[in-house]
């Protein structure tokens, strides 16, 4: 185990779930690259509840290389949890994440690190420009990235690339949970890290094992994107959205109701032909709007009450202090 005081150039965080065949090759390759570039490093392998021999391989690697650390989850928590755990443990000045399946090339690491240190990026994301995945994965992914770009304003082609490099304080400032690993650049931006860059990286076909993410990931991905964007815009003040929508609907509905009734009374008083209030569709629409308006307002109000009790409501990140 590395001591906390030890200064390392690099921490490489590798989440893995049933990747026994790839690990030896991966670590040997990382070691070769780091040695070649004279970088001090640690590899943190997070075994996300593998049911194959992955952990045994990690143990074997830790015995063989003093740069390898292993952490095993008791069960499968998902890639986000594994990354978060690795971020917590990392001590390197630059933190690189990469998949365990050899689809990401360790040869890219020195350049990613250089971009962080010399070009002053907070985060550099890999871009699998030429991708070796089945078409059923590539097309939905294009669509997903387009939406994420539009929604977040971050100009990345490949949000979900497993190969990324971070300045250490970035990984210590963000909380990755659920399936949020797809949105780490968005989380970083929300935490105030604006220098987000991209590097075209070599991508390779999966050599061993199989992909752990199926089609259901597109559905989850979209729902998560909506929550991430929603949280960032209205998470702190749900009343801004629900309260204003509710008020507008309430006023619209209320006004229309008054209008419908007043119009009837006026016609009655002047002996003009008229329709009963309850015979007019507009009346029902107006009442619907009033009810929805109250509901929306209430939703916003409840949100505010929940927020008031939330422990992290005043969470802020300090960057510098003198
Ligand atoms: N992974 C993980 N926990 C999971 C699923 C995946 O740690 O529940 C790891 C997996 O072992 C791999 C990386 O996340 O190192 C990316 O997974 P995969 O290669 O299956 O995804 P794909 O490349 O097909 O998008
Ligand atoms: Mg993969």
């Amino acid at each position: 185990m590395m001591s906390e005081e030890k200064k390392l150039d690099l921490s490489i965080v590798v989440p893995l779930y049933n990747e026994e065949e790839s690990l030896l090759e991966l670590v040997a390759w990382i070691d070769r690259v780091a040695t070649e570039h004279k970088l001090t490093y640690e590899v943190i392998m997070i075994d996300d509840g593998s049911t194959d021999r992955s952990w045994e391989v990690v143990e074997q690697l830790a015995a063989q290389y003093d740069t390898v650390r292993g952490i095993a989850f008791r069960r499968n928590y998902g890639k986000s949890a594994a990354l978060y755990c690795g971020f917590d443990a990392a001590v390197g000045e630059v933190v690189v994440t990469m998949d365990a399946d050899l689809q990401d090339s360790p040869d890219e690491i020195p350049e990613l690190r250089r971009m962080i240190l010399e070009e002053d990026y907070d985060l550099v994301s890999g871009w699998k420009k030429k991708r070796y995945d089945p078409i059923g994965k590539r097309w939905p992914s294009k669509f997903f990235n387009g939406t994420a770009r539009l929604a977040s304003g971050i100009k990345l082609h490949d949000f979900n690339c497993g190969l990324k490099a971070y300045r250490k304080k970035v990984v210590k400032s963000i909380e990755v949970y659920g399936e949020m690993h797809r949105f780490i650049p968005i989380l970083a931006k929300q935490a105030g890290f604006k220098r987000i860059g991209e590097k075209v990286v070599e991508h390779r076909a999966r050599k061993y094992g199989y992909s752990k993410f199926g089609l259901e990931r597109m559905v989850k991905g979209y729902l998560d994107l909506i929550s991430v964007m929603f949280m960032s815009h209205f998470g702190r003040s749900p009343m801004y959205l629900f309260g204003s929508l509710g008020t507008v609907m309430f006023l619209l509905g209320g006004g229309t109701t008054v209008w419908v009734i007043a119009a009837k009374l006026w016609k009655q008083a002047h002996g003009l032909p008229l329709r009963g209030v309850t015979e007019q569709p507009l009346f029902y629409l107006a009442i619907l709007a009033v009810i929805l308006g109250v509901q929306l307002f209430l939703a916003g109000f409840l949100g505010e009450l929940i927020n008031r009790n939330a422990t992290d409501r005043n969470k802020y990140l300090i960057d510098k202090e003198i």
Side-chain angles (χ1 to χ4, degrees):
M1 260 280 157
M2 308 281 161
S3 68
E4 288 292 327
E5 299 88 59
K6 191 160 177 193
K7 287 256 184 300
L8 292 175
D9 296 325
L10 262 180
S11 287
I12 297 160
V13 173
V14 183
L16 60 107
Y17 178 51
N18 294 344
E19 308 281 4
E20 56 180 7
E21 307 95 330
S22 311
L23 303 178
L24 289 174
E25 215 170 309
L26 179 72
V27 171
W29 192 353
I30 291 175
D31 188 62
R32 200 162 67 233
V33 173
T35 312
E36 209 171 283
H37 288 82
K38 301 191 174 52
L39 297 170
T40 54
Y41 75 101
E42 61 177 349
V43 180
I44 306 175
M45 314 202 88
I46 321 285
D47 180 358
D48 183 15
S50 296
T51 50
D52 67 354
R53 287 185 52 260
S54 291
W55 182 247
E56 283 168 52
V57 181
V58 172
E59 282 177 325
Q60 181 191 329
L61 283 166
Q64 189 181 341
Y65 296 85
D66 57 5
T67 50
V68 173
R69 301 166 62 182
I71 297 172
F73 287 167
R74 193 170 287 276
R75 65 170 175 85
N76 178 243
Y77 283 96
K79 189 176 177 184
S80 291
L83 287 175
Y84 189 42
C85 172
F87 286 166
D88 200 29
V91 301
E93 154 182 47
V94 170
V95 178
V96 171
T97 59
M98 64 189 304
D99 291 352
D101 55 4
L102 296 167
Q103 288 197 267
D104 301 328
S105 160
D107 289 333
E108 307 283 358
I109 294 175
E111 173 61 13
L112 288 170
R113 184 181 116 90
R114 195 198 61 76
M115 288 175 77
I116 298 274
L117 296 179
E118 288 172 27
E119 291 178 36
D120 207 32
Y121 283 109
D122 295 313
L123 187 169
V124 181
S125 178
W127 171 15
K128 299 163 283 187
K129 196 167 183 179
K130 179 142 184 49
R131 231 180 127 164
Y132 296 88
D133 277 321
I135 189 137
K137 196 159 187 167
R138 293 198 312 262
W139 281 91
S141 174
K142 278 214 165 92
F143 193 55
F144 168 80
N145 279 308
T147 318
R149 254 196 313 277
L150 271 180
S152 69
I154 302 173
K155 303 275 167 287
L156 287 183
H157 291 89
D158 192 358
F159 279 80
N160 193 19
C161 183
L163 183 56
K164 289 190 173 65
Y166 309 81
R167 194 179 295 284
K168 181 178 174 183
K169 68 179 171 197
V170 177
V171 303
K172 302 292 182 188
S173 312
I174 55 179
E175 221 170 305
V176 200
Y177 59 92
E179 303 274 326
M180 295 297 183
H181 57 267
R182 298 189 187 92
F183 307 107
I184 295 181
I186 302 180
L187 298 177
K189 187 184 171 194
Q190 286 171 5
F193 298 103
K194 292 181 206 78
R195 297 270 306 156
I196 296 176
E198 182 168 61
K199 176 185 185 307
V200 175
V201 294
E202 185 202 346
H203 188 243
R204 318 158 98 240
R206 212 179 220 286
K207 205 161 156 189
Y208 312 103
Y210 56 90
S211 171
K212 310 302 182 298
F213 295 101
L215 257 190
E216 92 288 350
R217 77 176 188 170
M218 294 322 295
V219 180
K220 287 188 185 167
Y222 266 100
L223 294 177
D224 282 342
L225 179 61
I226 292 170
S227 4
V228 166
M229 294 319 295
F230 197 85
M231 277 308 278
S232 74
H233 288 300
F234 305 108
R236 289 286 152 86
S237 40
M239 201 57 173
Y240 288 170
L241 177 69
F242 292 110
S244 48
L245 269 178
T247 308
V248 167
M249 289 207 92
F250 184 86
L251 291 178
L252 224 91
T256 313
T257 314
V258 171
W259 163 257
V260 169
I261 294 172
K264 188 208 155 175
L265 290 178
W266 191 80
K267 284 178 184 164
Q268 209 169 28
H270 292 78
L272 297 167
L274 54 85
R275 276 202 298 173
V277 167
T278 51
E279 282 156 33
Q280 301 181 47
L282 189 60
F283 176 65
Y284 294 100
L285 290 176
I287 288 185
L288 180 68
V290 169
I291 296 173
L292 282 179
V294 173
Q295 294 281 333
L296 283 168
F297 192 87
L298 259 179
F301 186 60
L302 288 177
E304 289 292 335
L305 285 182
I306 293 169
N307 241 355
R308 180 182 285 258
N309 287 316
T311 47
D312 70 341
R313 69 181 184 279
N314 262 331
K315 201 162 147 194
Y316 45 74
L317 297 161
I318 295 173
D319 191 31
K320 297 183 192 86
E321 240 183 283
I322 47 166

